[in-house]
Amino acid sequence: MPLAIFDLDGTLVDQAAAARDWARGFAQAWSLDERDAGVIAAASAQRRPKGEIFSMIVQRFSLPMTPEAAWSDYRAHMPDLVRCSDTDRSALRALRNAGWRLGIVTNGMVDNQEGKIRSTGLSDLVDGWVISSEFGERKPEPSIFHELARRLECPLDGWMVGDSLETDVAGGLAVGLETAWITSAPATDPRPAPTVSAPTVKDAVDKILTGQR
C-alpha cells in the first residue's frame, strides 16, 4: 500500500489567507489601521521562528503585551480561520479509494497544527500525522518522515507533497520519496528538483494517480 505524505500550511490549508484574517482582527483589537494589519500578516507568514516574528510585531507597534501572548493569540485563532478546499478534499478521497495510505507531516506547535487538522475535517481524511513540536524533530529531518511511517505501520514508500523546496521536497528526497512541489509559479530550475510541480493538491494528486512526470 503506497504512502502519500502531505504538508499542512500552504499545502492542504490556505495559511496565508488565514494569517491575513487573523492580522485584521488583531489589528482592530489594538486600534491599528489596515496598513498595520498588512505588515502583521506579512510578518506572520514568514518562514522563520515565530518567537522572532511576534517579538518584532510587539516591538514595532509598542503593544502592551509579551511576544508569547501575541503568539498564543495567533495559535488560538488560527484553527478556526484556515480552510481546505473541497477540490483538495475530493483529491484525498480519490487517493484513499485508490488504496493509498495518507498522512500529514508538519512543523509547528501541537495546539495550532492539530487544531487545524481537526477543525478542517482533515483528521477524517488522513490516517495519521506527526507534528514537529511533539515529536522533537522538524522537517526536513528524515526521522520525522520515518516516524509517520512507523505510526501508520507501513513502508516509507510513495510521495511527499508540499509547498517548500527546503523542507518538503528536500526532506522527501532524503528518505527516497517522489516529491510534488505545490507552487503557482514554479522556478525554471528548482533546487532540489521535485518529481512534479503543481498549483494545488488536486493537481498534484491527478499527476500521482496518472503517473505523470
Side-chain angles (χ1 to χ4, degrees), residues 34-76:
E34 191 69 22
R35 179 179 295 180
D36 297 332
V39 172
I40 293 169
S44 64
Q46 293 176 3
R47 293 182 184 274
R48 61 189 179 105
K50 286 294 190 285
E52 295 178 8
I53 291 171
F54 287 99
S55 290
M56 182 278 289
I57 291 172
V58 168
Q59 292 172 11
R60 175 161 182 169
F61 298 105
S62 301
L63 300 177
M65 67 191 311
T66 65
E68 291 77 15
W71 189 11
S72 178
D73 183 272
Y74 173 88
R75 296 202 313 270

Side-chain angles (χ1 to χ4, degrees), residues 27 33 39 41 50 58 107 109-111 144 152-153 156 159 165 192 198-199 201 212:
D33 61 27
V39 172
K50 286 294 190 285
V58 168
N107 291 341
M109 302 293 291
V110 171
D111 58 348
I144 197 168
L152 300 188
E153 298 181 337
L156 186 56
W159 284 75
L165 288 174
V201 167
Q212 294 183 46

Side-chain angles (χ1 to χ4, degrees), residues 110-124:
V110 171
D111 58 348
N112 191 21
Q113 302 303 83
E114 188 163 290
K116 296 173 189 176
I117 292 169
R118 295 192 183 282
S119 70
T120 55
L122 287 168
S123 53
D124 297 324

Side-chain angles (χ1 to χ4, degrees), residues 9-195:
D9 297 329
T11 301
L12 288 173
V13 302
D14 191 343
Q15 177 69 15
R20 290 192 295 270
D21 289 342
W22 171 80
R24 281 192 291 269
F26 186 79
Q28 290 173 2
W30 292 101
S31 300
L32 302 175
D33 61 27
E34 191 69 22
R35 179 179 295 180
D36 297 332
V39 172
I40 293 169
S44 64
Q46 293 176 3
R47 293 182 184 274
R48 61 189 179 105
K50 286 294 190 285
E52 295 178 8
I53 291 171
F54 287 99
S55 290
M56 182 278 289
I57 291 172
V58 168
Q59 292 172 11
R60 175 161 182 169
F61 298 105
S62 301
L63 300 177
M65 67 191 311
T66 65
E68 291 77 15
W71 189 11
S72 178
D73 183 272
Y74 173 88
R75 296 202 313 270
H77 287 89
M78 198 55 54
D80 294 326
L81 296 174
V82 295
R83 299 288 181 269
C84 177
S85 72
D86 289 340
T87 54
D88 286 353
R89 291 171 184 275
S90 295
L92 296 181
R93 293 190 188 98
L95 269 180
R96 294 192 85 171
N97 291 339
W100 288 67
R101 298 278 279 177
L102 307 184
I104 295 171
V105 173
T106 176
N107 291 341
M109 302 293 291
V110 171
D111 58 348
N112 191 21
Q113 302 303 83
E114 188 163 290
K116 296 173 189 176
I117 292 169
R118 295 192 183 282
S119 70
T120 55
L122 287 168
S123 53
D124 297 324
L125 296 175
V126 301
D127 299 295
W129 55 83
V130 180
I131 301 170
S132 65
S133 69
E134 57 94 4
F135 176 61
E137 295 286 355
R138 295 172 59 85
K139 293 181 297 183
E141 289 298 319
S143 59
I144 197 168
F145 299 96
H146 285 287
E147 176 63 12
L148 178 69
R150 185 193 69 79
R151 293 183 186 186
L152 300 188
E153 298 181 337
C154 67
L156 186 56
D157 181 23
W159 284 75
M160 175 65 210
V161 181
D163 69 319
S164 170
L165 288 174
E166 294 79 12
T167 59
D168 300 317
V169 173
L173 290 172
V175 294
L177 297 172
E178 304 276 12
T179 57
W181 181 30
I182 303 301
T183 177
S184 57
T188 55
D189 187 25
R191 288 289 180 268
T195 309

